[in-house]
Amino acid sequence: MGCFFSKKSKRKSGEKENLTPTTTNADSTGNAVPLGNNTDEAPKQYSWDKREKVDPKDYMLTGLKDVTVGRLPGTLNGQQFVIQECENCNIYVLDHSATITIDDCVNCRIVLGPVKGSVFFRDCKDIKCVVACQQFRSRDCKKMDVFLCCATQPIIESSTGMKFGCFQYYYPELAFHFKDAGLSIFNNNWSNIHDFTPVSGENNWSLLPEDAKVLDFVPAPDSESDFKSVRISTEAARSIVPLTKGGRRKDSEESCLFVFFAGEYTTANARKLIDEATSKGFVLIQTKEVSMKPEDAKRVFQNSADDLVEWISKGAVTALELNGDGVVEACNTIANEVFSGTKVFISDNKNTSTRDIDSFFNFADMQMGL
């Protein structure tokens, strides 16, 4: 969309010239009839004339203090949004958007629905937030706790006291908002932070405790707010984005690669696998959804490549790394019992599973430019 913060034209309406031809001719009665001004013709309408008028104020929150505010599902519909100069506010933007910038905010709790482009925090302090986006950036920020889903590598610049955890959130429209924003729930690089301005001997960022709960940082909307009708959950089991361990130290030396190929039930199958595996005590380390070419199969799947070329050509593949002692045998058992009619790739044994994981996720990171 065009930027609705663009400068207005300096031309005044009164200065516009009437370019309609004024040449006249006389009819049979001697009356003058203007040429080219037939009143029977409806004025031409162009596509931009039919667009709904946008009021910038509907896409801004500015100068607020001690209030609960935001936007309900269906109110942004992919527009860009701005939050600035807010203090001690609870802010819930429960819709998908193009980009969001947050400037000069202090002591706020913020939830941002899926953002197709970038989320940019600037000059903010004491912020606790839940964010899903294509790109996350912060500049000149202090003390932020972020539960993040980010398709690319999150970037911080001149920022300190930054802490990150995996996105954990649900509201009924959220899955559709991820799709509308062009984001995959399986592409989450929340723990892979790049610091543009590292300081020798200091850490500008860290990971939140593994048992950190969103509600301990960002409260649910109060019962008297405009958001009381939205069914929100912060339970990890209900989160649209799978809860991953990310860059934390693995508990076991044994991991397993489990890959689903494109199909009508791929997302549901991946969720079913996560439920089955975690119920047995295994841990989800990372996930990726990426497109592959037939020639990529040999490099990634090696001896199994010939059998998978047909399935790779059907669309993006979804891969999961699960960790824990005995996880390879357990995943193969789950595949036979639960996914017997579904084409999958699973590590054959624990001696080659590390190679499987490195081959696939290194390839995926290269494809995504990470």
Side-chain angles (χ1 to χ4, degrees), residues 115 117-119 131-137 146-155 164-167 178 183-193 241 287-288 368 370:
V115 181
S118 65
V119 169
V131 178
C133 59
Q134 175 74 17
Q135 182 185 54
F136 176 93
R137 293 193 65 185
V146 187
F147 289 88
L148 180 63
C149 177
C150 187
T152 57
Q153 186 175 29
I155 295 171
F164 295 88
C166 184
F167 184 100
F178 263 90
L183 300 178
S184 168
I185 62 173
F186 297 110
N187 291 334
N188 187 6
N189 296 284
W190 66 269
S191 64
N192 184 21
I193 313 299
V241 176
T287 63
K288 280 289 189 298
M368 301 174 70
L370 297 174

Side-chain angles (χ1 to χ4, degrees), residues 16-322:
K16 295 181 180 178
E17 297 178 2
N18 183 356
L19 300 180
T20 305
T22 56
T23 306
T24 61
N25 197 0
D27 64 8
S28 59
T29 62
N31 294 324
V33 178
L35 296 179
N37 193 21
N38 190 341
T39 56
D40 293 336
E41 289 185 12
K44 263 190 175 181
Q45 278 211 333
Y46 299 94
S47 59
W48 52 83
D49 295 324
K50 300 176 184 179
R51 291 177 183 169
E52 187 177 346
K53 301 300 180 183
V54 174
D55 185 349
K57 293 180 181 178
D58 292 337
Y59 302 94
M60 297 179 67
L61 295 172
T62 182
L64 302 175
K65 186 175 182 179
D66 302 329
V67 294
T68 296
V69 292
R71 293 294 183 268
L72 289 165
T75 55
L76 293 185
N77 292 321
Q79 300 281 9
Q80 60 187 25
F81 198 72
V82 172
I83 303 170
Q84 59 188 13
E85 298 175 356
C86 293
E87 181 178 352
N88 193 37
C89 292
N90 293 334
I91 299 172
Y92 303 89
V93 182
L94 305 181
D95 203 355
H96 68 101
S97 56
T99 63
I100 296 183
T101 55
I102 304 95
D103 293 329
D104 301 294
C105 290
V106 178
N107 190 31
C108 290
R109 282 71 53 195
I110 302 172
V111 176
L112 302 180
V115 181
K116 186 173 186 177
S118 65
V119 169
F120 201 173
F121 284 86
R122 299 179 293 196
D123 299 289
C124 293
K125 181 180 179 181
D126 293 319
I127 303 295
K128 303 179 190 304
C129 57
V130 180
V131 178
C133 59
Q134 175 74 17
Q135 182 185 54
F136 176 93
R137 293 193 65 185
S138 73
R139 189 177 69 200
D140 298 313
C141 293
K142 296 180 180 179
K143 295 181 65 178
M144 287 185 58
D145 298 325
V146 187
F147 289 88
L148 180 63
C149 177
C150 187
T152 57
Q153 186 175 29
I155 295 171
I156 66 172
E157 180 180 358
S158 301
S159 299
T160 60
M162 307 290 291
K163 296 182 180 180
F164 295 88
C166 184
F167 184 100
Q168 301 168 54
Y169 216 75
Y170 168 86
Y171 58 85
E173 298 86 355
L174 185 55
F176 298 105
H177 291 168
F178 263 90
K179 185 176 180 179
D180 291 337
L183 300 178
S184 168
I185 62 173
F186 297 110
N187 291 334
N188 187 6
N189 296 284
W190 66 269
S191 64
N192 184 21
I193 313 299
H194 178 69
D195 186 355
F196 260 133
T197 52
V199 178
S200 179
E202 298 182 16
N203 288 325
N204 292 326
W205 66 273
S206 61
L207 301 184
L208 288 165
E210 196 163 355
D211 59 354
K213 306 296 183 186
V214 170
L215 283 183
D216 293 335
F217 297 80
V218 181
D222 62 73
S223 59
E224 297 180 359
S225 73
D226 293 338
F227 306 93
K228 61 184 179 183
S229 62
V230 183
R231 293 185 291 112
I232 291 173
S233 173
T234 61
E235 296 177 13
R238 296 198 66 191
S239 176
I240 291 296
V241 176
L243 178 62
T244 55
K245 195 177 183 70
R248 299 187 181 100
R249 184 181 178 86
K250 298 177 184 179
D251 298 328
S252 170
E253 294 183 358
E254 182 179 343
S255 283
C256 180
L257 178 66
F258 202 120
V259 180
F260 291 97
F261 297 91
E264 186 177 355
Y265 303 107
T266 300
T267 298
N269 285 339
R271 288 192 173 281
K272 179 64 174 175
L273 171 64
I274 294 168
D275 290 343
E276 291 283 340
T278 54
S279 69
K280 292 175 168 54
F282 300 112
V283 178
L284 182 64
I285 303 298
Q286 60 179 327
T287 63
K288 280 289 189 298
E289 181 179 0
V290 65
S291 295
M292 301 181 71
K293 298 176 182 178
E295 55 265 33
D296 299 323
K298 185 66 177 177
R299 177 155 55 101
V300 175
F301 298 113
Q302 301 191 19
N303 295 336
S304 301
D306 292 341
D307 188 39
L308 300 176
V309 168
E310 175 188 352
W311 295 90
I312 286 173
S313 63
K314 293 180 181 295
V317 302
T318 301
L320 305 90
E321 178 189 354
L322 291 150

